[in-house]
């Protein structure tokens, strides 16, 4: 019990340190943002045009897997527009009353950032519609014959919504956004640039091949790239190495059980369940989640996107299936016949 409590405390401290770490590396200007070129160019044009008209920005919806920079972009937009940003999340707004206090405190042109906006309750979502369209909200007090409607006039604000599951947004909410941007996984070159920039901020000496090696194992995600850089820095410090090299990176990430393709322990467990329990698939995500003891949303939002993008997994009408890429990665002959040494490869 003591060991378990200690592990939980260490995990919590690590997560809190990662939050501070990522905040310190967050770019402040669009010019500093690496990758997502089309999105950045469109945002630059919209911001410049809006500034010239002296108007607030239209509402913006950012979608894409976790860790790609949606929150960073929201803060950059506020910085570029020289306005205040108020950040919250869909699950945090439980009642319509919670939203009133937030909306009435927004100034003209201020940014309201709602992360995981697809998780807003239907009541709160409907309450948000008139606020987005006419910058007014109607709040009903009392009940029955004593019910009264109070109208609040809001200052023109910009709602920036972020979601990892854009398909779960209702058509009514999606239709009230003026701009839509989807963030995709980063290529190795952009990730290497991010690692190099982060290392410079942290005062860590790193060579180009080491930047590329970290980028290659970062699952196309800047947040993971920065996290791995920190872990490699810790490893190098303990091993008394003043410079991060490919050899140091490889040893550090191998110790963390992150392989050459960037797959971690959870990825391999996910693939192992499909391989061992379902002979390579197809398998329903509900069954996989139950076998792993994980939430279905965690698998769909966090694990599957990269495996799909990298070609290890495919979704079919019958469920999830492993691809030839997955079989080759683990040196297993494709097909429905499993080898005796299969378990040793995971």
């Amino acid at each position: 019990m003591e060991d378990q409590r200690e592990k939980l405390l260490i995990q919590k401290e690590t997560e809190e340190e990662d939050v501070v770490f990522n905040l310190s590396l967050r770019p402040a200007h669009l010019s500093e943002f690496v990758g997502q070129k089309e999105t950045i160019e469109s945002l630059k044009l919209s911001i410049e045009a809006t500034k010239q008209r002296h108007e607030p920005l239209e509402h913006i919806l950012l979608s894409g897997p976790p860790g790609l920079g949606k929150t960073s972009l929201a803060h950059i937009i506020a910085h570029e527009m020289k306005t205040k940003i108020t950040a919250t999340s869909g699950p945090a707004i439980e009642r319509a009353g919670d939203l009133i206090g937030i909306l009435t405190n927004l100034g003209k042109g201020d940014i309201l950032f709602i992360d995981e906006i697809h998780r807003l309750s239907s009541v709160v979502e409907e309450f948000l519609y008139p606020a987005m369209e006419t910058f007014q909200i109607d709040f009903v007090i009392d009940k029955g014959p004593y019910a009264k409607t109070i109208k609040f006039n809001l200052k023109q604000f910009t709602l920036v919504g972020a979601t990892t599951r854009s398909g779960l947004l209702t058509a009514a909410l999606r239709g009230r956004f003026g701009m839509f941007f989807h963030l995709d996984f980063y290529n190795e070159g952009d990730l290497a640039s991010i690692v190099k920039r982060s290392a410079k901020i942290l005062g860590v000496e790193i060579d180009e091949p080491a930047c590329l090696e970290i980028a290659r194992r970062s699952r196309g995600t800047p947040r993971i790239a920065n996290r791995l850089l920190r872990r490699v820095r810790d490893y190098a410090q303990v091993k008394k190495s003043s410079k991060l090299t490919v050899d140091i990176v490889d040893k550090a990430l191998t110790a963390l059980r992150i392989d050459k393709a960037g797959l971690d322990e959870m990825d391999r467990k996910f693939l192992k369940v499909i391989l061992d329990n379902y002979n390579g698939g197809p398998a329903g995500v509900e069954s996989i989640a139950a076998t792993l003891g994980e939430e279905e949303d965690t698998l769909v939002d966090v694990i599957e996107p990269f495996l799909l993008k990298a070609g290890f997994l495919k979704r079919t009408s019958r469920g999830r299936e492993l691809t030839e890429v997955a079989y080759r990665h683990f040196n297993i002959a494709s097909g429905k016949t499993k080898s005796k040494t299969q378990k040793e490869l995971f």
Side-chain angles (χ1 to χ4, degrees):
M1 193 70 179
E2 283 294 330
D3 291 341
Q4 187 176 3
R5 188 180 295 112
E6 186 178 348
K7 286 180 181 178
L8 289 172
L9 287 172
I10 292 172
Q11 183 180 359
K12 184 177 180 182
E13 287 173 3
T14 303
E15 289 173 355
E16 289 173 353
E17 288 171 2
D18 283 342
V19 170
V20 175
F21 176 73
N22 289 325
L23 285 174
S24 67
L25 301 179
R26 182 173 288 165
H29 304 276
L30 284 174
S31 59
E32 298 174 358
F33 196 94
V34 179
Q36 313 294 342
K37 291 182 180 179
E38 293 180 0
T39 295
I40 297 303
E41 288 302 319
S42 297
L43 273 175
K44 281 181 180 177
L45 287 172
S46 299
I47 289 172
E48 185 60 33
T50 301
K51 282 182 175 179
Q52 291 178 9
R53 293 194 304 267
H54 302 287
E55 296 175 357
L57 271 172
E58 285 189 85
H59 303 305
I60 301 171
L61 180 64
L62 303 172
S63 65
L68 299 187
K70 298 185 291 295
T71 302
S72 294
L73 272 180
H75 284 83
I76 289 173
I77 291 168
H79 191 274
E80 295 283 353
M81 293 296 295
K82 296 179 171 59
T83 57
K84 185 181 73 173
I85 182 170
T86 300
T88 184
S89 66
I93 307 173
E94 297 180 350
R95 300 179 298 275
D98 298 335
L99 195 58
I100 289 181
I102 297 173
L103 293 174
T104 52
N105 283 309
L106 294 175
K108 184 176 181 179
D110 283 355
I111 305 291
L112 172 60
F113 174 62
I114 302 181
D115 198 11
E116 296 301 308
I117 195 170
H118 65 271
R119 294 178 64 184
L120 285 173
S121 68
S122 57
V123 174
V124 174
E125 186 176 312
E126 290 178 12
F127 190 79
L128 192 59
Y129 295 159
M132 294 176 69
E133 286 189 312
T134 62
F135 301 103
Q136 291 181 331
I137 50 176
D138 297 322
F139 188 64
V140 180
I141 59 172
D142 290 333
K143 295 181 180 179
Y146 302 102
K148 296 178 183 178
T149 300
I150 299 176
K151 188 179 292 291
F152 289 94
N153 291 316
L154 305 172
K155 294 175 182 176
Q156 288 186 317
F157 68 95
T158 298
L159 174 63
V160 178
T163 176
T164 55
R165 307 277 295 277
S166 57
L168 296 183
L169 285 175
T170 62
L173 180 59
R174 192 185 297 111
R176 285 170 168 80
F177 286 96
M179 290 183 277
F180 306 84
F181 298 109
H182 177 76
L183 306 188
D184 204 353
F185 288 107
Y186 287 59
N187 60 47
E188 289 180 9
D190 287 339
L191 282 173
S193 298
I194 291 171
V195 171
K196 188 175 181 180
R197 174 184 175 273
S198 298
K200 185 177 180 181
I201 293 172
L202 295 170
V204 176
E205 190 178 356
I206 185 171
D207 58 26
E208 292 288 342
C211 289
L212 281 170
E213 186 63 22
I214 293 176
R216 194 173 294 117
R217 301 196 191 194
S218 297
R219 302 166 59 90
T221 307
R223 183 185 296 165
I224 294 176
N226 285 330
R227 186 187 303 153
L228 296 185
L229 173 62
R230 181 184 175 189
R231 299 292 173 258
V232 174
R233 179 190 64 171
D234 292 344
Y235 182 91
Q237 182 179 334
V238 173
K239 298 298 181 180
K240 309 299 182 185
S241 176
S242 59
K243 185 177 183 179
L244 303 189
T245 62
V246 171
D247 185 54
I248 289 292
V249 170
D250 183 60
K251 288 178 179 177
L253 298 186
T254 300
L256 291 171
R257 296 183 62 77
I258 296 172
D259 64 25
K260 295 286 186 181
L263 302 186
D264 60 19
E265 194 70 16
M266 195 62 204
D267 295 323
R268 288 190 289 273
K269 284 181 179 179
F270 182 91
L271 297 173
K272 182 177 184 294
V273 165
I274 299 176
L275 194 60
D276 288 347
N277 294 35
Y278 302 98
N279 206 21
V285 68
E286 300 89 352
S287 302
I288 299 171
T291 305
L292 290 172
E294 288 285 343
E295 292 292 329
E296 184 180 333
D297 286 348
T298 302
L299 302 185
V300 174
D301 293 342
V302 180
I303 296 176
E304 283 192 348
F306 174 71
L307 295 178
L308 289 165
K309 181 72 175 181
F312 288 92
L313 188 70
K314 62 181 178 181
R315 286 176 180 169
T316 68
S317 58
R318 298 164 58 200
R320 276 62 171 170
E321 290 185 27
L322 298 187
T323 65
E324 293 291 333
V325 175
Y327 286 110
R328 284 200 303 269
H329 180 74
F330 295 113
N331 296 319
I332 298 173
S334 62
K336 297 298 180 181
T337 304
K338 297 187 292 183
S339 72
K340 295 179 181 178
T341 59
Q342 209 167 40
K343 293 183 180 179
E344 298 175 4
L345 297 169
F346 290 90

